[in-house]
Amino acid sequence: MANLFNKMIGRTRYVVFRLFLHLGGGEVAPILGILNSAGRDAIDADGDLEVLGEGLVEISQTLLQYDEYWLSAANEGDVFWSEGEAGDYVNELFTDSAERYLSEPDYTSDSGLNEPLSIPVTRNVIVMITVAYEGEVPELETDLSNVQALKEGLKALINLHYKQRLKAIQVHFSPAQLGDELTSDQLLQYYPELIPL
């Protein structure tokens, strides 16, 4: 009833959404390159929403191309009628994602650039995408723990960028640094919300 009332009086509906996607297998390491590149671009752009949106599109398209490696997923979110409350929830999810195991990249370090390259190939990658947007997007406001719904959700994220309805974009991933490895035990411990696809 409150939803209907708020729509009738013309209030803006804000949705804050977070997606967890776990990819697994020996071929998932290239995804880390795309994620790191988008992260560097986001830092260089100093939070410019257009640049962040282009990065989100590239990440979403890459994830769609790697769908055979999707193992589990989860999503959560909430609806707000106040931009301030939506912003607070974005910050809460940002903090939670950043504190997850191995999700903090180091873009400043040059250490190891001249060392021989012998690192373990990661077999697990977790991508955490948090966005805030205006309006309704049924493809995101549903359970995305099945492959078809997840594909529709990623396409909806791309469309939100092109329709210029995104208000905030954050992407975290684990492992965030080359050479770090995310084990199956660590997945269970630090990402308990994941549901097998």
Side-chain angles (χ1 to χ4, degrees):
M1 193 69 180
N3 243 359
L4 184 60
F5 177 73
N6 283 313
K7 275 186 192 173
M8 284 174 28
I9 61 170
R11 291 179 69 193
T12 303
R13 180 181 195 267
Y14 299 97
V15 177
V16 178
F17 164 86
R18 177 165 63 170
L19 169 69
F20 293 88
L21 178 56
H22 167 215
L23 299 96
E27 307 299 317
V28 298
I31 291 172
L32 292 174
I34 302 288
L35 293 165
N36 274 296
S37 174
R40 277 191 210 87
D41 292 346
I43 289 169
D44 293 345
D46 199 26
D48 181 297
L49 208 53
E50 184 64 27
V51 174
L52 295 175
E54 289 299 325
L56 177 65
V57 167
E58 184 180 11
I59 290 166
S60 298
Q61 289 172 336
T62 300
L63 293 174
L64 285 164
Q65 290 169 359
Y66 278 79
D67 63 343
E68 68 265 30
Y69 301 105
W70 296 355
L71 296 181
S72 55
N75 63 296
E76 62 184 332
D78 212 340
V79 175
F80 301 91
W81 297 97
S82 153
E83 192 169 1
E85 287 178 17
D88 290 345
Y89 190 48
V90 167
N91 290 336
E92 186 182 316
L93 292 180
F94 175 89
T95 302
D96 178 69
S97 293
E99 290 174 345
R100 297 289 178 128
Y101 185 72
L102 297 176
S103 71
E104 207 48 51
D106 179 11
Y107 295 119
T108 59
S109 172
D110 290 337
S111 66
L113 284 182
N114 295 322
E115 295 172 17
L117 195 58
S118 63
I119 53 174
V121 175
T122 187
R123 300 191 61 76
N124 291 301
V125 174
I126 297 282
V127 181
M128 295 167 275
I129 298 173
T130 304
V131 297
Y133 59 86
E134 284 184 10
E136 285 184 58
V137 181
E139 296 87 353
L140 295 176
E141 297 171 36
T142 186
D143 178 9
L144 298 184
S145 62
N146 76 68
V147 171
Q148 195 52 45
L150 190 49
K151 285 181 180 180
E152 296 305 316
L154 287 167
K155 290 174 188 172
L157 285 174
I158 293 167
N159 289 335
L160 278 170
H161 168 66
Y162 290 123
K163 291 178 181 176
Q164 298 183 333
R165 288 174 44 199
L166 289 165
K167 295 293 177 191
I169 304 166
Q170 303 164 353
V171 178
H172 290 85
F173 51 96
S174 174
Q177 299 202 52
L178 200 58
D180 286 345
E181 224 174 328
L182 187 61
T183 68
S184 297
D185 288 344
Q186 290 162 338
L187 276 169
L188 291 171
Q189 182 178 353
Y190 295 103
Y191 301 94
E193 53 275 274
L194 291 171
I195 299 165
L197 290 168

